[in-house]
Every structure is written in structure tokens, then in C-alpha cells.
Amino acid sequence: MRNTITMIVLVTLAMNVSATVWRVNNMPGVNASFTTIQAAHNANYVYAGDTIYLEASSGTYGNLTATKRLVIIGAGYFLIENPNLQANNNRSIIGIITLNAGSQGTIIEGCSIEQIHINTSDLIIQRNIFNEWVRNSGIIDFVTNNISNIMIRNNYFDNILNAYGGSVIYSNAVGINNVRIIGNFIKMSFPHTDRPAININNGFSGIIENNVISGNVKIYGAQFNNNILREGTFTPTNSTYNNNIGNTTQFGTTNGNLQNINMITVFVGPTGYSTDGQWQLKTGSPAIGAGVGGVDCGMFGGAFPYVLSGLPGIPSIYFHEQDIDNVNQQLNISIKAKSNN
């Protein structure tokens, strides 16, 4: 007989030799180290710098309040639409993440997340998907004053419903420095048109570049470059903005900005492409080479191009099949793997 088993195997690259890898899996019959992410974090034998693998699951791994530096790696998303990436097409789902003092240096990637509260510095949040309701403040919310060195890169924020007056990325704190919001897809579906998708108030400095955005943008103290604003208003204060593309007159025509661009001419579109792949630039797109220094505008351009499905930058098994030979009493296994950057 033939039995096909879907699985995910993640292999660590370039890690500290003293760090330990821990498996988290809540699927019935799987023998993993933990079944929730908070239990993995809280275990006294899980040390700062360890890696937590959230294996693909049909259920959630719960909320996380972090006071420990960890590398948290999930399986990615849109895995059915972008084939041959993972053998198991489920996601790694987390609820609300609160990053408190002590969790500096944490990296979170490849996960499906409801919301993140930021209370500390030196974080990387990359290649995740967020598609929940905004809860009062922001999907990513800068809470504590005087924090710095935050990278929000190559994430997919889709169908964010603003029912509570929040934003996708929100900061009302002060002393928020060296924040980089790069290569993301940011879309807010909102009933209140005065609520920005990006809402950054005073006391902020950072770079927002190479994003594709649908929704109003309100920024303070930022460099806003190479972005494509598909729809929405743009309100800058003490900010610079160069080589952006707008569907109306949001940016004007100085400093390399383009206005009144028909978005149909910009992207390849959904026909024949995945949910995230449709935002690649089509042949002849006005966004090609239109960014600062001649890079492409949008999430697939610049120094950190978007990665389809948020696939983590580690090797993955995308095919696994085993054949049980009852006659010869042997197990034949076929595995296909690939490396990812």
C-alpha cells in the first residue's frame, strides 16, 4: 500500500553552537517538546538564544508574553497557492505576542500572528502574515518609550478590519528610533476612513521603504521612499519622501515621486498568480527602476525583496512520501528538499 505523509522539517543554519532547537507541535500523535509557545518560552531549560520551531498545525499555539531572547520560526503561509515550498500546507499560528524587557534580540519569522506589542529594543519581525481585526492600537504597536533598532520586514498585512480605531502599524510613544519598515504588503479594510493604516506620531525616527500600501498613511520623522500607495491619503510631518508612486496626487511630482498612476499598469495582478505573488511588477511597469538609486519600487524591490509565502530562510522539505513494501518488509522513503535564503 502507499501512504503519503505531509511533514515539515526545519534545519538551523549559522546558529550559535551553544543554542538548542526545540520543537513545538500540537497535532495529535506528534511527539514534540511542547504544545504551546508560552510553555516553550517558560521552560527553565529553554535558554536565551535558543530556537523555537513552530511546526505547521491546524490549530493555534496560543499567546506569548516574552521576557527571553528567542528565535521563533514558523512554516510560512499561502503554501497551497505557492506550491513546492513545504510538504505540510498548514500555518504556524500565534495569537497576541507581547515582547517585554529581556526579549531583546528576538527574531520572529514565518508565523501567522494576530498582534504584536513592542516594549523593548533590538527586534526582527519578518516574513509573517497578519490578517486579524485591529484591536484598539495597532497590529504592530509600539507601546514603551525609548526603544530602538526594530526591523519590520517582508510581512503580509491583509484585510485588516479597523473596527476599534486602530492601525496596522501604530506608534504614539516617544524616543522610538532606528525603525525600518521594509518590503511589506500593508492593506487595511476599514469602515473609518480617518484611521491610517500606518499611524506614526511624534518622537519617531526611521525608514519606511519598498512597501505596497492600501490605506491612509500618517508619518512623523520618517524617510518614506520607494513605496507604492495603491489608495489612501498621505500626511507627512518632519519627514522626507522620495521616489514613491501614488494612484492620485499624494506625493506630487518632485523628488522622483510619481502621481496619478493607474495601478492596473503596475502589478501583474491575480490571474495566474498567488495572493502575494500578484504584487510583482508587470513588464513595462512604471515602478521598474523608479526607486532611489534605480531600484524597483514596491515590496519585491530594494535591498530586502519580499519572499513568497514568508518562507523562512532555512532549508525545508517540500515533498515526503513513504511506501511500505509488505512483501519485503521494508520502508521506502522519498524526500525532496530545498534551501531558502
Side-chain angles (χ1 to χ4, degrees):
M1 67 178 181
R2 179 172 293 272
N3 179 31
T4 300
I5 299 177
T6 57
M7 61 180 295
I8 177 173
V9 176
L10 299 171
V11 180
T12 303
L13 289 181
M15 295 187 61
N16 189 306
V17 294
S18 63
T20 302
V21 176
W22 303 96
R23 294 178 58 210
V24 181
N25 194 312
N26 57 13
M27 296 295 288
V30 176
N31 183 21
S33 306
F34 306 96
T35 57
T36 70
I37 189 170
Q38 191 68 59
H41 171 279
N42 291 352
N44 58 13
Y45 48 86
V46 174
Y47 296 104
D50 284 359
T51 294
I52 305 296
Y53 284 154
L54 295 181
E55 299 181 4
S57 172
S58 58
T60 178
Y61 288 113
N63 299 332
L64 171 65
T65 299
T67 56
K68 185 184 297 182
R69 174 174 58 91
L70 295 171
V71 178
I72 301 170
I73 300 178
Y77 49 87
F78 299 145
L79 295 168
I80 295 177
E81 298 181 49
N82 296 310
N84 298 327
L85 296 181
Q86 298 280 23
N88 188 330
N89 291 322
N90 285 316
R91 298 179 293 166
S92 304
I93 302 172
I94 311 174
I96 298 173
I97 299 175
T98 303
L99 297 169
N100 289 334
S103 64
Q104 297 94 319
T106 289
I107 300 172
I108 305 172
E109 65 176 315
C111 298
S112 176
I113 304 170
E114 184 175 342
Q115 187 178 29
I116 296 180
H117 299 299
I118 297 178
N119 294 304
T120 193
S121 301
D122 304 318
L123 304 170
I124 297 177
I125 301 166
Q126 64 182 7
R127 303 188 186 187
N128 304 287
I129 187 169
F130 301 78
N131 53 2
E132 301 289 342
W133 290 65
V134 173
R135 297 174 180 268
N136 300 316
S137 51
I139 291 295
I140 293 185
D141 178 20
F142 293 86
V143 180
T144 301
N145 297 337
N146 301 317
I147 58 178
S148 61
N149 303 325
I150 311 295
M151 174 71 83
I152 302 170
R153 178 173 64 195
N154 300 147
N155 300 286
Y156 202 90
F157 302 87
D158 193 16
N159 293 325
I160 308 299
L161 300 176
N162 188 339
Y164 300 101
S167 301
V168 176
I169 298 174
Y170 176 79
S171 174
N172 198 35
V174 296
I176 308 300
N177 297 307
N178 194 27
V179 175
R180 298 173 66 86
I181 303 170
I182 299 176
N184 303 282
F185 177 82
I186 301 172
K187 177 183 177 183
M188 174 175 280
S189 301
F190 47 91
H192 305 292
T193 56
D194 60 332
R195 307 299 187 187
I198 299 177
N199 188 3
I200 295 173
N201 296 306
N202 61 343
F204 178 94
S205 69
I207 296 174
I208 304 171
E209 66 184 13
N210 281 102
N211 302 284
V212 174
I213 305 168
S214 291
N216 300 332
V217 175
K218 177 184 175 184
I219 58 173
Y220 182 101
Q223 299 176 46
F224 193 88
N225 303 326
N226 308 342
N227 300 287
I228 301 175
L229 186 55
R230 296 174 57 235
E231 57 183 347
T233 61
F234 178 66
T235 307
T237 304
N238 292 343
S239 299
T240 61
Y241 49 101
N242 300 281
N243 297 75
N244 302 285
I245 295 176
N247 70 318
T248 61
T249 59
Q250 298 102 323
F251 306 111
T253 57
T254 60
N255 300 319
N257 295 294
L258 300 177
Q259 66 178 18
N260 294 320
I261 300 299
N262 184 346
M263 291 296 148
I264 294 177
T265 69
V266 177
F267 304 106
V268 294
T271 302
Y273 292 90
S274 62
T275 298
D276 53 352
Q278 67 178 303
W279 307 113
Q280 297 172 86
L281 303 182
K282 70 189 322 180
T283 301
S285 171
I288 295 175
V292 175
V295 304
D296 293 346
C297 292
M299 60 200 257
F300 287 93
F304 300 100
Y306 178 86
V307 176
L308 288 175
S309 288
L311 202 65
I314 57 175
S316 62
I317 288 179
Y318 67 92
F319 176 85
H320 173 271
E321 185 178 73
Q322 69 180 31
D323 181 90
I324 301 175
D325 186 343
N326 292 320
V327 175
N328 297 312
Q329 295 186 343
Q330 65 183 21
L331 178 64
N332 301 317
I333 298 177
S334 176
I335 293 175
K336 296 179 181 179
K338 63 173 64 175
S339 61
N340 305 295
N341 58 20

